[in-house]
Amino acid sequence: MSFREILNSGKFVVTAEVGPPKGTDIKEMIHHMEVLKGKIDAANITDNQSAVMRICSMAVCKIAMDHGLEPILQMTCRDRNRIGLQSDLLGASILGIQNVLCMTGDHVSAGDHKGAKPVYDVESVQLLKIVDGLNNGKDMSGNEMKGSTNFFQGAVVTPEANPLEPQLIKFDKKVKAGAKFFQTQAIYDIDKFKEFMKHARKFSVKVLAGFVVLKSAGMANFLNNNVPGIRVPQTLIDELKAAGKEKALDTGMNITARHIKQLKEENICDGVHIMAIGMEDKVPVIMERAGLL
Amino acid sequence: MIITKKREFKDLMENIKGYKSFFLIGCSECATLCGTGGEPELKSMKEVLEAEGKAVTGSFIAKTGCQVLGTKVELKPFKDAIDKAECIIVMSCGAGTQTAVELYEDKAVYPANDSLFLGNMTRLQFFDERCSLCGRCILDKTGGICPITACPKGILNGPCGGCKDGHCEISPDIKCAWVRIYERMKKLNKLQELCETTIEAKDWSAAQKPRTLIAREEKKK
Ligand code: SF4
Ligand code: SF4
């Protein structure tokens, strides 16, 4: 079954992230793919994440398929104008890529080519509309195409954004623009996430809660201070502290597993998205502890 | 107004190293307010050039340096001084510099300033950019705050995930344009309108360069 079919069947899905490397040596990335194969339902292939130049997402999506993983093509609006985006989407479609995650993309000032000209000819909401158009046989200018795409298109949302309401307004616009599924920024407070889900459940879209494993109390504090839309509650920071240096990572994995289990048991959302950031090996362990394997 | 700042002096010196005599043109409008092309700046440019062993044959502050015909008329009395100069240094924006280029076809003209943006002056010599002259204004849909300019990504439909406590992902010194728009629409009781409008991708053909405009009706001969 495809990711779309699994998600629509009502099964609790798991996606994880695979980050393309900088350079042509893809041994480690392929190892990650092999670890994830058969365990997760789809793999997000990031698009020059944090505006750091790496292998393009589309090529790595193809490699993922060759290694038995269903890819979700992450597509940002930072580096391509509307012609480039549409052309890449058509290319992705003929390669057999079925899922696309539409994002605006981190600003070039976050990355390693700070002098680059940011494109942002369109943004996430408009990109979703473009995908919807291509799925219906029309390009953005309304020209009829010979053969249409059949993408399952998704978007991102930050359930703990501050302030929240403008973020929710944008969420609604993304739904209206055709988003079928959402993957969220990392969440750490299930009660707050439930509040967000009350809003999201007004629409018939699927929501996958995002997870970033906490490796230490220091990392939790770093995320709180530096990463927009992430709020690690003090109780979790205390739990990591109490575990001590040796056991902090293990405790972080337990926290993630515990949260995933709760989401599934209480039927709070439709699945989870684990952003392992270099610890792809640990994804199956977390899934096992969450009772998903 | 057009915001300018002085170019690196050594770059200007490199440009003019082959010339000995100069005429200086400033501007009484934006460049004066920016402190790049008014009386004091022209005076100090003259002093610096003379200290470098160059001659300044004269100087003049145009009323509006981007106004070609007016500036041409204003410059008439300076014909001798300009004739004597091998090179003109313009201390206004790039538009003012090109007025001089048009008026003095045979003379070298160099800019003393970098032209930065169309800006609002918030207090003396504090400037910020609020309009990028996109050619088709959408302020009617965004509570009068321009996301094309105020949001580094030019997002047209709400804040990105990088918004942190109301501030922009690229700098804590910048307030997120979409939080500002949201707050203003809320004050105006127009949140409903904000929710219901999806702004379409911009038609950038309106910003196609070079742009020209004839704003008056041509008189029939
Ligand atoms: S939308 Fe913004 S950039 Fe365009 S004309 Fe209006 S204020 Fe200027
Ligand atoms: S934080 Fe706000 S102003 Fe900054 S890029 Fe995102 S939407 Fe634009």
Side-chain angles (χ1 to χ4, degrees), chain B residues 19-25 55-60 72 75-89 100 103-109:
Chain B
Y19 303 106
K20 291 191 191 71
S21 51
F22 300 87
F23 186 82
L24 310 179
I25 301 179
V56 175
T57 64
S59 70
F60 162 72
K72 182 178 181 180
L75 278 167
K76 273 201 179 132
F78 296 88
K79 187 173 180 302
D80 282 353
I82 294 170
D83 284 348
K84 268 188 232 149
E86 293 172 296
C87 175
I88 295 173
I89 295 176
L103 297 179
Y104 303 103
E105 279 179 352
D106 304 328
K107 219 175 267 296
V109 176

Side-chain angles (χ1 to χ4, degrees), chain B:
Chain B
M1 76 179 92
I2 306 300
I3 311 309
T4 48
K5 81 177 203 314
K6 287 176 191 153
R7 282 177 69 208
E8 289 286 337
F9 188 67
K10 63 169 178 18
D11 292 343
L12 179 62
M13 287 312 286
E14 180 62 26
N15 294 152
I16 62 171
K17 66 179 179 208
Y19 303 106
K20 291 191 191 71
S21 51
F22 300 87
F23 186 82
L24 310 179
I25 301 179
C27 174
S28 79
E29 307 264 7
C30 318
T32 291
L33 283 166
C34 290
T36 55
E39 286 288 357
E41 292 77 41
L42 264 74
K43 186 166 170 273
S44 86
M45 177 67 85
K46 180 170 188 281
E47 285 164 10
V48 178
L49 289 172
E50 286 171 351
E52 297 277 336
K54 315 267 187 195
V56 175
T57 64
S59 70
F60 162 72
I61 296 182
K63 187 178 168 307
T64 311
C66 52
Q67 225 260 62
V68 182
L69 282 183
T71 305
K72 182 178 181 180
V73 173
E74 286 177 327
L75 278 167
K76 273 201 179 132
F78 296 88
K79 187 173 180 302
D80 282 353
I82 294 170
D83 284 348
K84 268 188 232 149
E86 293 172 296
C87 175
I88 295 173
I89 295 176
V90 183
M91 299 171 66
S92 63
C93 65
T97 304
Q98 293 180 72
T99 295
V101 168
E102 179 174 335
L103 297 179
Y104 303 103
E105 279 179 352
D106 304 328
K107 219 175 267 296
V109 176
Y110 284 99
N113 297 329
D114 286 319
S115 301
L116 304 178
F117 53 91
L118 169 61
N120 291 49
M121 183 156 89
T122 52
R123 50 186 157 128
L124 189 63
Q125 295 190 350
F126 277 57
F127 306 103
D128 43 64
E129 186 177 20
R130 297 188 186 171
C131 168
S132 8
L133 308 173
C134 74
R136 215 159 276 157
C137 198
I138 58 159
L139 287 179
D140 59 322
K141 298 184 184 69
T142 57
I145 294 165
C146 174
I148 291 164
T149 310
C151 165
K153 301 179 188 173
I155 298 178
L156 298 186
N157 286 295
C160 72
C163 172
K164 185 165 170 54
D165 304 327
H167 292 272
C168 176
E169 82 172 36
I170 77 152
S171 159
D173 300 331
I174 304 174
K175 204 158 174 202
C176 170
W178 275 99
V179 171
R180 287 173 57 210
I181 292 169
Y182 163 79
E183 284 169 355
R184 183 160 158 84
M185 290 299 258
K186 193 171 175 178
K187 267 191 208 139
L188 298 176
N189 249 328
K190 288 191 173 169
L191 275 187
Q192 191 64 20
E193 191 182 311
L194 192 69
C195 299
E196 280 165 6
T197 340
T198 293
I199 301 180
E200 298 296 322
K202 273 201 77 72
D203 177 355
W204 286 109
S205 67
Q208 174 126 1
K209 285 174 237 183
R211 293 183 269 188
T212 53
L213 173 74
I214 298 169
R216 64 166 187 203
E217 304 230 343
E218 288 294 292
K219 277 191 198 127
K220 287 203 184 89
K221 291 213 171 120

